[in-house]
Amino acid sequence: EDKVVQSPLSLVVHEGDTVTLNCSYEVTNFRSLLWYKQEKKAPTFLFMLTSSGIEKKSGRLSSILDKKELSSILNITATQTGDSAIYLCASFAGGTSYGKLTFGQGTILTVHP
Amino acid sequence: DAGVIQSPRHEVTEMGQEVTLRCKPISGHDYLFWYRQTMMRGLELLIYFNNNVPIDDSGMPEDRFSAKMPNASFSTLKIQPSEPRDSAVYFCASSGTRRTNEKLFFGSGTQLSVL
């Protein structure tokens, strides 16, 4: 069974801090890894990573995939209160399970002023 | 595009009643997913469709749950009979063609409470 594990499960920081969120996966026919941010309701897409070692950046957020270690990290620098959310990573499967997206349990990030 | 549309937004029902959740995916998307989210278990994939055909329903908890996709623009998730442990947020999501479908677009979810 495909499995995605995130750590920590929750994190409380102050504005301006830098945080690193971790994601590890055990997936048959791994194809890509995705990061989502969930605030009030539906998750919204952040990054998709398919190649190992290539960093993706969007403003203060960045992410990288390590296929050798079967893991990914999401970094947020100079955190703001608006970054408070649940951050989800998900593995996308290929092969006979093509299309299947398995989510981790999420990291709840709280940023205090 | 209006995005993925789910209805109802909230549903409160009594144990034993039938519940039907509805979803309209983004026009042109080939894949449709139903997820359930709880604090304890996070986001769980229940079932997904490709071109209206169910591909993997191994996440459907039990026979009380069923899902259909009669056409490319509509899907339902039915729970009959409902139980309090079914209380959760149910998300529908869709994605595009095989070349681009890793990125899922989620609906706003249905908050289901079974009393």
Side-chain angles (χ1 to χ4, degrees), chain B residues 18 20-25 32-34 47-54 57 60 65-79 92:
Chain B
E18 178 180 293
T20 299
L21 311 181
R22 298 174 176 80
C23 176
K24 181 181 187 315
L32 184 139
F33 302 78
W34 283 101
I47 184 171
Y48 75 100
F49 297 83
N50 177 217
N51 290 322
N52 313 337
V53 175
D57 65 355
M60 296 285 261
F65 285 69
S66 62
K68 292 183 180 178
M69 192 164 186
N71 57 62
S73 59
F74 184 67
S75 177
T76 59
L77 178 68
K78 189 174 288 187
I79 309 172
C92 175

Side-chain angles (χ1 to χ4, degrees), chain A residues 5-78:
Chain A
V5 176
Q6 293 184 244
S7 65
L9 292 182
S10 66
L11 194 53
V12 180
V13 300
H14 286 94
E15 271 192 321
D17 289 349
T18 293
V19 298
T20 298
L21 310 183
N22 302 288
C23 176
S24 64
Y25 59 90
E26 292 175 28
V27 176
T28 305
N29 291 315
F30 174 83
R31 183 178 164 93
S32 60
L33 189 127
L34 295 93
W35 285 95
Y36 284 80
K37 179 181 181 182
Q38 185 176 22
E39 296 176 87
K40 296 262 172 25
K41 273 290 187 179
T44 54
F45 174 80
L46 291 175
F47 296 112
M48 183 176 78
L49 305 159
T50 54
S51 301
S52 206
I54 298 176
E55 186 182 53
K56 294 244 175 142
K57 283 184 71 89
S58 176
R60 295 176 295 102
L61 277 67
S62 63
S63 184
I64 196 162
L65 176 67
D66 185 339
K67 284 186 175 179
K68 189 176 174 185
E69 296 296 325
L70 305 182
S71 66
S72 174
I73 59 171
L74 175 69
N75 282 317
I76 308 175
T77 59

Side-chain angles (χ1 to χ4, degrees), chain B residues 91-104:
Chain B
F91 286 105
C92 175
S94 70
S95 63
T97 64
R98 190 177 171 97
R99 284 187 59 197
T100 61
N101 73 343
E102 277 98 328
K103 183 178 173 182
L104 259 62

Side-chain angles (χ1 to χ4, degrees), chain B residues 81-94:
Chain B
S82 58
E83 297 183 2
R85 60 193 167 122
D86 302 330
S87 298
V89 180
Y90 290 80
F91 286 105
C92 175
S94 70

